[in-house]
Amino acid sequence: MGPIFETIMLVCFGFSWPMNLIKSYNAKTAKGTSLPFILLIITGYIAGITAKVVGGQINYVLLAYILNLAIVLMNLAVYFRNSALDKKNA
């Protein structure tokens, strides 16, 4: 049952990241976005992936971790794009 609940948690987080990505992209500003928060989330997903690999638990849950990490990395890229736009507009 553990992997099922872990997957539900990851899916819930997973649905929020694309919405945040679209909002940040359309906002065209980094104001209100926290770089340390994004980096902390990325670190957490990397730790989760590492735990799965080291523990030999390579299953469908690992795919959810990887997908979420990819979306958060896109958020990071948009943050840097938006920071550059902020500097340009200043």
Side-chain angles (χ1 to χ4, degrees):
M1 288 294 292
I4 292 171
F5 287 113
E6 186 176 15
T7 301
I8 291 169
M9 181 268 306
L10 288 168
V11 167
C12 290
F13 283 129
F15 277 117
S16 65
W17 292 123
M19 290 186 290
N20 183 267
L21 178 63
I22 292 166
K23 180 183 170 191
S24 295
Y25 183 83
N26 290 333
K28 296 181 181 170
T29 182
K31 294 176 183 164
T33 304
S34 170
L35 180 58
F37 177 76
I38 294 172
L39 295 175
L40 188 62
I41 297 298
I42 289 170
T43 302
Y45 281 130
I46 291 171
I49 291 167
T50 303
K52 290 291 183 191
V53 171
V54 170
Q57 298 175 338
I58 302 193
N59 55 25
Y60 62 92
V61 179
L62 182 61
L63 181 61
Y65 275 106
I66 293 169
L67 182 59
N68 284 354
L69 176 61
I71 295 169
V72 177
L73 287 170
M74 285 187 261
N75 272 282
L76 181 63
V78 169
Y79 171 84
F80 286 118
R81 180 205 84 153
N82 287 349
S83 292
L85 289 173
D86 287 342
K87 288 178 186 176
K88 180 182 174 185
N89 293 330

